[in-house]
Amino acid sequence: MTGVPASAAGGSSSARRTGPRGATGAAHEPAERKTSGGAVERGATEGGAGGRGGKIAAAAVNQASVWNVANLLTMLRLLLVPAFVALMLGNGGYDPAWRSFAWASFAIAMITDLFDGHLARTYNLVTDFGKIADPIADKAIMGAALICLSALGDLPWWVTAVILGRELGITLLRFLVIRYGVIPASRGGKLKTLTQGVAVGMYVLALTGPLATLRFWVMAAAVVLTVVTGLDYVKQAIVLRRQGIAERRAALKGTEG
């Protein structure tokens, strides 16, 4: 879950316009020349295409760039959510075989979460779609697993409420302070995501004996990390907001001066 979320990676606007083979929208911009009056006139490109053709070609590149491997992995996670719920609740929700298949789909979703953000940042595959869909996919699969476990009586509802409340609250907080800056994902947040994934995965499996006891303690650690990292993000948001307000006031004073 890139966290921030997982699941949460930047990229320049030029990177988002980069096509699968490295071509950019600039490559399709029509040529410019100045007229005798000094005005800029857009003419045909070297390939002979006019301004309108260049814009159409640029739009095609932008559209094709959405279908990259990072976004496809994100889409796969979104598709796995209903599949996971169906497997989790199949045959009454307590069949070990069905739960094993549900665990497999959950594990695939968690693994793809580790790779899509890395691929997007490494190969300049960051898109607006990915920025929105990636955190949604992360929270959807985790939320579906927690709600199913609580509905089946395997996990207390208060645990689900704490984890989901924290995730939704921090996401909302990020949007509220985004005008002042971006709250970066911390190491604690990444550890929280990993611990949550392991704990929920252990609960999805029909474990018994010592493993059932172990999963209780792993989930306890996940809850503690969820609360602690959530409070840390709140602290960062407050500091970021204060700094942003102070900088704006200083800029206004400088302008007035």
Side-chain angles (χ1 to χ4, degrees):
M1 145 171 347
T2 354
V4 168
S7 336
S12 65
S13 58
S14 61
R16 289 194 301 269
R17 291 194 295 270
T18 303
R21 295 185 181 273
T24 61
H28 299 275
E29 287 293 332
E32 295 182 353
R33 63 180 179 87
K34 289 189 176 181
T35 63
S36 58
V40 176
E41 178 179 322
R42 293 184 178 272
T45 62
E46 294 179 359
R52 181 175 299 178
K55 291 180 180 179
I56 293 174
V61 171
N62 292 339
Q63 203 169 34
S65 66
V66 175
W67 299 96
N68 59 61
V69 64
N71 286 345
L72 290 175
L73 289 175
T74 299
M75 294 176 194
L76 174 62
R77 291 213 313 282
L78 289 170
L79 293 175
L80 283 173
V81 174
F84 168 81
V85 173
L87 292 170
M88 188 70 183
L89 302 179
N91 200 22
Y94 298 101
D95 189 312
W98 284 83
R99 295 283 283 261
S100 297
F101 287 123
W103 176 86
S105 63
F106 180 80
I108 292 173
M110 292 294 101
I111 292 172
T112 56
D113 180 32
L114 297 175
F115 284 104
D116 60 357
H118 174 73
L119 290 172
R121 292 187 296 271
T122 303
Y123 298 101
N124 291 328
L125 300 176
V126 178
T127 63
D128 290 334
F129 170 81
K131 290 180 180 180
I132 297 173
D134 183 68
I136 292 176
D138 297 343
K139 291 169 178 56
I141 190 67
M142 182 61 70
L146 290 168
I147 292 173
C148 285
L149 289 171
S150 294
L152 293 172
D154 293 339
L155 192 67
W157 277 106
W158 70 265
V159 174
T160 296
V162 167
I163 295 177
L164 292 185
R166 184 269 191 199
E167 299 300 329
L168 295 176
I170 296 302
T171 300
L172 178 61
L173 187 64
R174 287 178 184 273
F175 280 111
L176 291 176
V177 300
I178 196 170
R179 68 181 68 178
Y180 306 109
V182 177
I183 304 176
S186 64
R187 291 183 179 180
K190 294 177 181 179
L191 179 61
K192 177 270 305 179
T193 301
L194 177 62
T195 309
Q196 280 184 1
V198 173
V200 171
M202 294 179 73
Y203 269 85
V204 170
L205 286 173
L207 299 177
T208 58
L211 290 177
T213 304
L214 177 61
R215 72 181 183 182
F216 169 83
W217 292 108
V218 176
M219 180 60 75
V223 172
V224 171
L225 287 171
T226 297
V227 175
V228 171
T229 56
L231 294 175
D232 180 62
Y233 280 130
V234 171
K235 179 182 177 181
Q236 290 186 51
I238 293 173
V239 172
L240 188 63
R241 182 176 181 275
R242 287 177 178 174
Q243 290 177 346
I245 292 175
E247 290 173 359
R248 286 189 177 186
R249 288 177 178 174
L252 288 174
K253 288 181 179 179
T255 303
E256 292 174 357

